[in-house]
Amino acid sequence: PSSRSTELLSPPTLRLDRENICAIGRLWSLREIRSLYLQQNQIEKIENLGCFPNLRFLSLSGNRIRRVENLQPLRHLRVLDLSHNQIQTLDPDELPRSLWLLDLTGNECTHQHGYRERVLGALPQLLQLDTQPVREEEEEGGSSGSEDEDNESLSEPSGPFTADKDFFADLQQELAGRSWRRRREALSEHRARLEELETLRERQALLLSPSEE
């Protein structure tokens, strides 16, 4: 319903979690949205996300997704949560190379032979995979050419990961009329992700600092 869309359209975050959504419909262009929450729905297919060209954070956990697809238009995506779906096999080429954090826990694809190596090979900027930090074994080898790219990534505006008072005011408004339990769950989920990404960014800064000697 249009009233529901208007209520939840509070840039830069859009919450549509736990709404029994079965499919991601076609929407008008929502360029300002940086964080999109679609977890705990009934979604079976990743589609129609091209209207969020500036998306940094996408949660699709707890759905019925069987295949990773149609994510290439999200060229700025940093965090992707696809945990606890029904993904049997994974083609790493379908994942945006811009990802810093990827979570596929609870999917059958994580048991594929060579799964972790294939994903890390396809995602050069990944800092965490399935709640486990990525070890920078090639850091000593000759990755100096990528340091400028990593520094540029770190210097980008933090967008959805800035937990300022305006963000929580918007989130409070989006959740108006819902139960206190659901409100607390939504806030704790976002805060946990914020803390997780901040830890990763601090770790990356420590890895890059020796190059300044």
Side-chain angles (χ1 to χ4, degrees):
S2 59
S3 58
R4 170 73 67 172
S5 301
T6 303
E7 175 189 350
L8 296 176
L9 219 175
S10 182
T13 300
L14 179 59
R15 297 206 68 105
L16 292 168
D17 52 292
R18 300 173 178 85
E19 297 289 348
N20 292 317
I21 296 172
C22 296
I24 305 173
R26 293 182 180 275
L27 300 172
W28 62 92
S29 181
L30 299 173
R31 304 186 66 86
E32 294 139 331
I33 298 298
R34 302 295 182 92
S35 298
L36 177 59
Y37 291 81
L38 286 165
Q39 70 269 27
Q40 304 301 323
N41 282 298
Q42 311 295 324
I43 297 169
E44 298 183 359
K45 183 177 181 179
I46 303 173
E47 59 185 341
N48 297 322
L49 292 176
C51 58
F52 303 100
N54 294 312
L55 205 62
R56 263 67 168 175
F57 181 106
L58 175 60
S59 178
L60 283 162
S61 64
N63 279 282
R64 300 177 178 179
I65 295 168
R66 297 179 179 273
R67 180 181 176 185
V68 177
E69 58 186 335
N70 301 320
L71 290 170
Q72 293 304 329
L74 305 179
R75 298 180 180 179
H76 304 289
L77 194 65
R78 297 299 190 212
V79 178
L80 176 60
D81 188 352
L82 285 167
S83 59
H84 304 290
N85 276 280
Q86 301 173 16
I87 303 170
Q88 299 289 324
T89 59
L90 174 69
D91 180 359
D93 292 335
E94 292 290 336
L95 295 165
R97 290 172 60 85
S98 58
L99 285 176
W100 288 356
L101 187 152
L102 173 64
D103 193 349
L104 284 160
T105 54
N107 288 283
E108 189 64 29
C109 65
T110 60
H111 302 298
Q112 286 181 256
H113 178 70
Y115 156 77
R116 189 172 179 86
E117 291 76 11
R118 291 172 60 231
V119 172
L120 297 184
L123 303 176
Q125 299 189 62
L126 202 65
L127 299 176
Q128 180 171 302
L129 175 60
D130 300 341
T131 73
Q132 297 297 318
V134 173
R135 295 186 177 180
E136 308 286 344
E137 283 123 3
E138 65 262 10
E139 189 76 15
E140 302 176 0
S143 59
S144 58
S146 66
E147 289 180 359
D148 290 341
E149 183 179 352
D150 290 338
N151 279 319
E152 182 180 351
S153 297
L154 285 172
S155 66
E156 290 183 0
S158 55
F161 311 115
T162 302
D164 55 24
K165 61 180 181 180
D166 291 333
F167 168 80
F168 286 112
D170 289 341
L171 186 57
Q172 197 88 359
Q173 182 178 2
E174 290 167 10
L175 296 173
R178 302 188 183 191
S179 69
W180 174 243
R181 177 174 174 273
R182 293 183 65 188
R183 182 180 304 175
R184 291 186 61 184
E185 286 177 353
L187 287 170
S188 65
E189 283 175 4
H190 196 80
R191 281 174 175 152
R193 285 300 189 185
L194 290 171
E195 292 172 1
E196 194 172 27
L197 188 67
E198 185 62 28
T199 299
L200 291 172
R201 295 177 72 177
E202 289 174 358
R203 177 173 176 272
Q204 187 182 49
L206 288 175
L207 289 171
L208 293 175
S209 58
S211 66
E212 298 174 359
E213 297 181 357

